[in-house]
Amino acid sequence: MCQGRVTGVQAGIDHADARQRAAARQAGGGSDRISAGEGNDLVSAGGGHNRIVLGEGNDASVSAGGNDTVHADDGNDTVRSGDGSDRLWGGEGDDVLLAEAGNDTLSGGEGDDILNGGAGNDLMGGGEGADRFVFNSGLDRIIDFDDDDDRIDVSAFSGFASFASIRNALSQAGDDVVLRAGTHRLVIEDARLNALDSDDFIW
Ligand SMILES: [Ca+2]
Ligand SMILES: [Ca+2]
Ligand SMILES: [Ca+2]
């Protein structure tokens, strides 16, 4: 298995393979296309609208502003995608998806994933496994909350000091449950208020 590593890809429109280290380092700013392939890769893509495929292995990628698309694929991966409207797929494995600012779409896929949309209005789907959804700001949606396995982390809000305080902020809205935190709102799609209990939240 190769140990690919791409760093400093920041300018220009690049088509970098992680195994081609020298070429990757010379790539300039703008929108990069990076395919890391097998092995455990560390990709730093900088700004621009990046398209990153991490392939197999336990990978990590960091990108800055711009609308990024990241397919983490197999393995336990960590993806941090900076500002912009990003689309992140964890694939198989236990992944950590940190979409940061912007209106982002996060898909955990199989495995026990942590999905954190950061600021902005984010759409989150955990897929199979016991997933943790982090709600910290904006108007977020969880499309596939499973109250047997998944949990919602609201620890970013100091006002939620107990499950009772969370329960007071929950309401049924048609087929969905809505959690309100000041001006911020989380929609838990296709959920029943009376099925949610303290096991479903982290505060
Ligand atoms: Ca890889
Ligand atoms: Ca993965
Ligand atoms: Ca999952």
Side-chain angles (χ1 to χ4, degrees):
M1 301 284 279
C2 74
Q3 296 286 323
R5 180 178 291 249
V6 176
T7 58
V9 182
Q10 294 179 341
I13 297 174
D14 310 307
H15 299 264
D17 184 313
R19 287 165 291 191
Q20 297 173 314
R21 301 184 186 190
R25 286 202 186 94
Q26 291 168 2
S31 301
D32 304 308
R33 181 173 299 203
I34 297 169
S35 181
E38 297 181 6
N40 303 328
D41 304 298
L42 176 60
V43 171
S44 178
H49 306 311
N50 302 296
R51 296 185 62 179
I52 301 169
V53 179
L54 295 174
E56 295 182 21
N58 301 325
D59 306 306
S61 76
V62 178
S63 47
N67 304 329
D68 303 307
T69 301
V70 183
H71 290 268
D73 291 349
D74 289 359
N76 303 328
D77 308 300
T78 300
V79 176
R80 182 183 290 272
S81 62
D83 291 356
S85 298
D86 307 308
R87 297 174 66 84
L88 312 181
W89 283 269
E92 292 186 24
D94 301 336
D95 304 305
V96 179
L97 306 179
L98 304 167
E100 302 185 311
N103 302 330
D104 308 301
T105 302
L106 298 82
S107 179
E110 291 185 30
D112 302 339
D113 308 303
I114 298 174
L115 298 89
N116 185 337
N121 306 330
D122 307 305
L123 184 66
M124 299 183 280
E128 294 183 25
D131 301 306
R132 180 189 297 197
F133 300 94
V134 180
F135 171 51
N136 42 28
S137 69
L139 307 178
D140 294 345
R141 300 182 78 86
I142 299 172
I143 63 172
D144 64 349
F145 185 73
D146 180 345
D147 63 30
D148 288 332
D149 295 326
D150 299 335
R151 303 180 85 182
I152 298 169
D153 183 339
V154 297
S155 58
F157 297 103
S158 59
F160 293 138
S162 63
F163 177 66
S165 62
I166 296 170
R167 179 64 185 80
N168 286 337
L170 290 168
S171 60
Q172 188 79 43
D175 293 333
D176 307 324
V177 169
V178 177
L179 174 63
R180 295 177 193 279
T183 59
H184 308 286
R185 192 166 74 234
L186 173 69
V187 176
I188 307 165
E189 293 190 354
D190 295 321
R192 302 303 302 171
L193 183 57
N194 59 17
L196 298 177
D197 59 30
S198 60
D199 291 340
D200 298 317
F201 294 91
I202 299 166
W203 62 88

